Amino acid sequence: GAGVSQSPSNKVTEKGKDVELRCDPISGHTALYWYRQSLGQGLEFLIYFQGNSAPDKSGLPSDRFSAERTGGSVSTLTIQRTQQEDSAVYLCASSLQGAQTQYFGPGTRLLVL
Amino acid sequence: EDKVVQSPLSLVVHEGDTVTLNCSYEVTNFRSLLWYKQEKKAPTFLFMLTSSGIEKKSGRLSSILDKKELFSILNITATQTGDSAVYLCAVGAGSYQLTFGKGTKLSVIP
């Protein structure tokens, strides 16, 4: 079946603009995760959704970052008033409920000028 | 705070060589250790290990976990240029969290 998909693949924006990144998880996966990977760094956890439960937002770096998941499927990560330090690859992953193995999408490379 | 440390950070080998990548960890409520291969952007799943001493194998890749000494190794034999990638180690603790290491960048030259 289809894997995790993300769009856009690449996004270039100007400092101060808002951006929206989209993630479509594997069908049937109820858990969805967002990570950020800066150059030369490991994956940094941002947010976790599980079914209809309240999301774990503990990894969001500032209140400029928010995410939602509609209908238990597609998720959107929004970054408001982007800063140059937001430049990174944003990765989405999904998994079955309770499973440790997460499957990743191809990511969105964000560049803030 | 959970911690995952990978070594070396980077490695250059010739085709046909065997390599060993290391991952050590300090986490509470350990559940599993996972290895991923990252080419370009998307990490792809390789192995999940939960029990000590049981080797997981897939073709030329194999991995083993030592829960007493808190580390895992990933071996790649007869390396090929297609093995060039960043190899990520992640440790699962608690109900869903994965903590990732910074990765080992492997370059295989012809």
Side-chain angles (χ1 to χ4, degrees), chain A residues 24-60:
Chain A
D24 205 337
I26 292 172
S27 178
H29 281 192
T30 56
L32 186 148
Y33 313 77
W34 283 99
Y35 293 88
R36 178 170 71 175
Q37 188 175 32
S38 303
L39 193 62
Q41 299 298 313
L43 272 69
E44 174 190 4
F45 167 77
L46 297 177
I47 189 168
Y48 161 72
F49 294 91
Q50 170 55 52
N52 295 320
S53 302
D56 177 353
K57 304 179 182 180
S58 60
L60 295 179

Side-chain angles (χ1 to χ4, degrees), chain A residues 21-94:
Chain A
L21 312 180
R22 177 189 166 107
C23 172
D24 205 337
I26 292 172
S27 178
H29 281 192
T30 56
L32 186 148
Y33 313 77
W34 283 99
Y35 293 88
R36 178 170 71 175
Q37 188 175 32
S38 303
L39 193 62
Q41 299 298 313
L43 272 69
E44 174 190 4
F45 167 77
L46 297 177
I47 189 168
Y48 161 72
F49 294 91
Q50 170 55 52
N52 295 320
S53 302
D56 177 353
K57 304 179 182 180
S58 60
L60 295 179
S62 77
D63 59 8
R64 297 186 296 102
F65 287 72
S66 63
E68 63 177 22
R69 189 178 185 192
T70 53
S73 181
V74 172
S75 176
T76 302
L77 177 70
T78 301
I79 309 173
Q80 295 178 309
R81 305 181 302 283
T82 51
Q83 304 294 312
Q84 288 181 331
E85 60 263 29
D86 299 334
S87 297
V89 175
Y90 289 82
L91 290 160
C92 174
S94 70

Side-chain angles (χ1 to χ4, degrees), chain B:
Chain B
E1 184 181 331
D2 295 345
K3 191 164 67 170
V4 177
V5 178
Q6 293 186 244
S7 64
L9 291 180
S10 66
L11 189 57
V12 180
V13 301
H14 287 94
E15 269 191 317
D17 288 350
T18 293
V19 297
T20 299
L21 310 183
N22 303 290
C23 176
S24 63
Y25 61 91
E26 292 177 28
V27 301
T28 53
N29 300 317
F30 174 90
R31 287 186 63 194
S32 61
L33 186 144
L34 296 89
W35 285 96
Y36 287 86
K37 177 182 182 182
Q38 187 176 26
E39 300 170 276
K40 296 183 181 178
K41 289 190 289 188
T44 54
F45 172 73
L46 295 175
F47 299 113
M48 183 173 77
L49 302 138
T50 56
S51 301
S52 274
I54 299 174
E55 185 183 54
K56 291 279 183 91
K57 195 170 170 66
S58 176
R60 296 176 294 103
L61 277 67
S62 63
S63 183
I64 197 160
L65 173 67
D66 185 326
K67 289 169 73 173
K68 182 180 176 186
E69 300 297 330
L70 308 183
F71 78 91
S72 173
I73 59 172
L74 175 68
N75 279 322
I76 308 174
T77 59
T79 51
Q80 302 171 357
T81 54
D83 296 326
S84 295
V86 174
Y87 291 83
L88 297 170
C89 174
V91 175
S95 60
Y96 59 86
Q97 280 268 20
L98 288 182
T99 301
F100 282 82
K102 293 187 176 182
T104 294
K105 182 177 180 181
L106 174 65
S107 300
V108 182
I109 54 178

